[in-house]
Amino acid sequence: MSDQKKTTIVLFNGDYDKAMAAYIIANGAAAYDHEVTIFHTFWGLNTLRKDNKVSMKKRFINKMFGKMMPRGADKMGLSKMNYLGMGQKMIKNVIKKHNAMPLPQLIEMAQEQDVKLIGCTMTMDLLGLQKEELLDGIEYAGVAAYIGDAEEGNVNLFI
């Protein structure tokens, strides 16, 4: 067993603020030389969606999921005080005023720090998401891969 500290995060939630918290923790852990894995499942997969529509042949139900889910991290709503998207605009303004990083930049930073970003293949199948619709440079795996990382983890979080 290696001496490398490990942090794993299951990102289940699709809210901007909760995803932002997950990525702040991930980047902090990576800065402290932890090997970090974020396993994106269900609504957390929206964090990895590309901003632009990718034309693909899909079943009707999968097309509907695609239309109803936010396309990209920057379009995700807040968990509280969203108020038809106004809350999200307000929090982004506060983030900018405090020179903090918005979620898309936190994701880029995580990738630069070699945080392992995993898209859950079972959820992708259920929601009809294709690899082409998600960010480049991420990995795809099922729950067994996450469990393998989590078993060795010093910090395991569910967000």
Side-chain angles (χ1 to χ4, degrees), residues 35-78:
E35 185 180 307
V36 182
T37 298
I38 306 178
F39 185 76
H40 301 75
T41 189
F42 284 90
W43 314 121
L45 275 170
N46 290 322
T47 311
L48 299 178
R49 286 186 81 193
K50 290 179 179 173
D51 294 333
N52 302 321
K53 184 179 187 321
V54 177
S55 294
M56 311 205 74
K57 192 172 176 114
K58 291 185 172 192
R59 293 183 9 225
F60 176 76
I61 189 83
N62 294 337
K63 284 182 184 177
M64 294 309 297
F65 272 126
K67 288 182 189 294
M68 293 177 355
M69 295 185 305
R71 188 170 283 118
D74 213 33
K75 294 190 178 79
M76 293 164 42
L78 295 181

Side-chain angles (χ1 to χ4, degrees), residues 9-37:
I9 300 171
V10 174
L11 184 53
F12 171 84
N13 198 288
D15 295 324
Y16 187 92
D17 48 324
K18 292 180 182 179
M20 192 167 170
Y23 274 88
I24 289 169
I25 293 166
N27 281 309
Y32 279 98
D33 293 325
H34 283 223
E35 185 180 307
V36 182
T37 298

Side-chain angles (χ1 to χ4, degrees), residues 135-156:
L135 299 175
D136 297 330
I138 65 171
E139 298 178 31
Y140 302 92
V143 71
Y146 170 75
I147 295 297
D149 284 347
E151 280 181 331
E152 298 174 9
N154 303 91
V155 179
N156 298 302

Side-chain angles (χ1 to χ4, degrees), residues 50 54 56 124 129-136 140:
K50 290 179 179 173
V54 177
M56 311 205 74
M124 288 173 66
L129 290 171
Q130 305 294 316
K131 290 179 182 180
E132 295 81 6
E133 296 176 273
L134 302 181
L135 299 175
D136 297 330
Y140 302 92

Side-chain angles (χ1 to χ4, degrees), residues 93-159:
N93 193 25
V94 169
I95 289 167
K96 188 175 184 175
K97 280 186 179 178
H98 288 273
N99 293 317
M101 284 188 172
L103 182 55
Q105 283 182 279
L106 289 169
I107 295 168
E108 285 176 28
M109 178 188 266
Q111 288 181 303
E112 289 168 7
Q113 294 195 86
D114 294 323
V115 170
K116 189 190 310 183
L117 306 180
I118 301 176
C120 176
T121 51
M122 185 202 73
T123 303
M124 288 173 66
D125 289 344
L126 290 174
L127 300 178
L129 290 171
Q130 305 294 316
K131 290 179 182 180
E132 295 81 6
E133 296 176 273
L134 302 181
L135 299 175
D136 297 330
I138 65 171
E139 298 178 31
Y140 302 92
V143 71
Y146 170 75
I147 295 297
D149 284 347
E151 280 181 331
E152 298 174 9
N154 303 91
V155 179
N156 298 302
L157 304 173
F158 184 90
I159 300 174

Side-chain angles (χ1 to χ4, degrees), residues 69-92:
M69 295 185 305
R71 188 170 283 118
D74 213 33
K75 294 190 178 79
M76 293 164 42
L78 295 181
S79 61
K80 305 279 186 223
M81 300 186 301
N82 196 40
Y83 302 120
L84 302 172
M86 230 170 72
Q88 188 216 42
K89 286 182 178 59
M90 289 168 57
I91 198 73
K92 284 182 180 178

